[in-house]
Amino acid sequence: MLQELDNSSRKCGLKMNMRKTKIMARTTRTTKAEYVNGIQLDQVEDYVYLGQRFALTEKNQDNEIRRRIKAGWQAFGRHSTIMKGTLPTCLKRKGFNQCTLLAMTYGAETWTLTTKMEKKLSAAQHNMERNMLNITYKDRKTNKWVRDQTKVMDIMEIIKNRKWTWTGHISHRTDNRWSAALTVWTPMGGKRNRGRQRKRWRDELQQYWGNVNWYMRARNRDLWRQHAKAFVLQWTDHG
């Protein structure tokens, strides 16, 4: 199949990039080597594709979220002369919202966030805000006081708002695309193991609506928009 893809691509003037083409398999056994035009493709356990890290063998997205926190700090560091300088806070706020937060929340609408990861994201933002004001924890200023000074967007509000918007978007698709099919997919004959279950992407949506099916609610555009703010404000953190 890979060779056929390469052959068909070349007829259209396209060429596969062998350095960016990798093989991932959900198995512990060593799969046979695959070649395209005599070049062996690398077999990897994880890979960054379109800006997001994918790993079939991992049970959560914690490592991807840590990558995004690191990317946020890198974006913050690239503009450190602005963020930690003497410019007015209103200008720092614009740079933070448009650069740092965007780097930290890329692809966040597809995350399954645990409480631990939510705290890590919020803690990273609070530390950046203190850097913007050139203060430390020794100054004994609360996170609420810091937020009142910076007035930056809250990272958890951004993430939950994107998830809510994305849910409404895919619920209206009627062309059987994978993004919609996988969102509501349930394996045939499958069942969850006993004990505490791992959090699923849709769990907090279902929890918000209670016994009512969240997917059917999402298909009602007006109703979904009316509840957006209430859903997002559950994660507001100014403490």
Side-chain angles (χ1 to χ4, degrees):
M1 290 175 64
L2 289 169
Q3 188 62 61
E4 290 177 4
L5 173 63
D6 183 66
N7 294 339
S8 298
S9 298
R10 289 176 182 274
K11 293 177 181 178
C12 301
L14 303 175
K15 183 179 179 181
M16 290 176 62
N17 189 327
M18 295 298 108
R19 291 186 297 113
K20 294 183 178 180
T21 304
K22 310 293 180 183
I23 295 178
M24 296 177 66
R26 187 185 289 275
T27 176
T28 57
R29 297 176 300 174
T30 302
T31 58
K32 69 175 183 178
E34 297 290 347
Y35 294 84
V36 176
N37 291 329
I39 301 175
Q40 183 176 349
L41 301 180
D42 295 331
Q43 299 180 21
V44 298
E45 295 184 358
D46 62 85
Y47 189 65
V48 177
Y49 177 68
L50 297 180
Q52 277 195 293
R53 179 180 179 273
F54 291 89
L56 296 180
T57 58
E58 293 182 1
K59 296 182 179 180
N60 54 50
Q61 297 167 298
D62 290 2
N63 288 327
E64 166 60 15
I65 295 170
R66 292 189 180 96
R67 278 189 69 249
R68 301 281 21 122
I69 294 176
K70 182 178 179 181
W73 277 112
Q74 290 173 340
F76 189 89
R78 284 195 296 270
H79 304 93
S80 59
T81 54
I82 297 174
M83 296 300 178
K84 302 179 69 172
T86 58
L87 289 174
T89 305
C90 61
L91 297 180
K92 294 182 179 181
R93 182 189 312 129
K94 290 182 179 180
F96 186 82
N97 288 340
Q98 296 174 7
C99 299
T100 306
L101 283 181
L102 288 182
M104 293 179 70
T105 58
Y106 178 80
E109 51 266 60
T110 62
W111 292 348
T112 301
L113 279 174
T114 61
T115 301
K116 178 181 177 181
M117 288 297 105
E118 289 176 357
K119 290 181 178 179
K120 280 187 175 294
L121 287 163
S122 294
Q125 179 175 9
H126 290 317
N127 288 333
M128 293 176 186
E129 290 180 65
R130 290 175 185 273
N131 275 277
M132 290 169 61
L133 300 177
N134 293 310
I135 63 174
T136 66
Y137 284 99
K138 293 182 180 179
D139 294 305
R140 303 182 67 83
K141 298 295 185 181
T142 65
N143 290 335
K144 183 180 185 305
W145 182 90
V146 172
R147 181 61 55 79
D148 289 340
Q149 306 306 309
T150 62
K151 294 183 175 61
V152 297
M153 300 170 65
D154 187 272
I155 189 168
M156 292 311 303
E157 287 191 35
I158 295 174
I159 292 173
K160 301 304 178 180
N161 185 64
R162 286 188 180 182
K163 181 171 184 175
W164 191 263
T165 303
W166 171 250
T167 304
H169 180 62
I170 61 175
S171 67
H172 300 133
R173 291 180 174 175
T174 58
D175 54 2
N176 296 321
R177 274 185 278 184
W178 280 35
S179 55
L182 290 175
T183 300
V184 297
W185 175 74
T186 301
M188 293 181 62
K191 61 180 181 179
R192 307 188 80 182
N193 297 328
R194 297 177 62 181
R196 185 175 182 179
Q197 306 298 324
R198 286 190 286 123
K199 187 177 181 181
R200 298 173 297 186
W201 180 86
R202 64 177 183 264
D203 282 348
E204 58 191 22
L205 294 168
Q206 190 60 63
Q207 182 181 358
Y208 177 81
W209 290 106
N211 296 326
V212 182
N213 186 286
W214 63 269
Y215 188 75
M216 297 306 297
R217 284 288 185 266
R219 296 181 67 83
N220 186 324
R221 295 178 185 270
D222 293 335
L223 180 65
W224 198 251
R225 293 193 189 100
Q226 292 172 12
H227 285 263
K229 186 175 182 180
F231 175 80
V232 171
L233 290 181
Q234 293 179 98
W235 286 269
T236 303
D237 178 18
H238 297 311

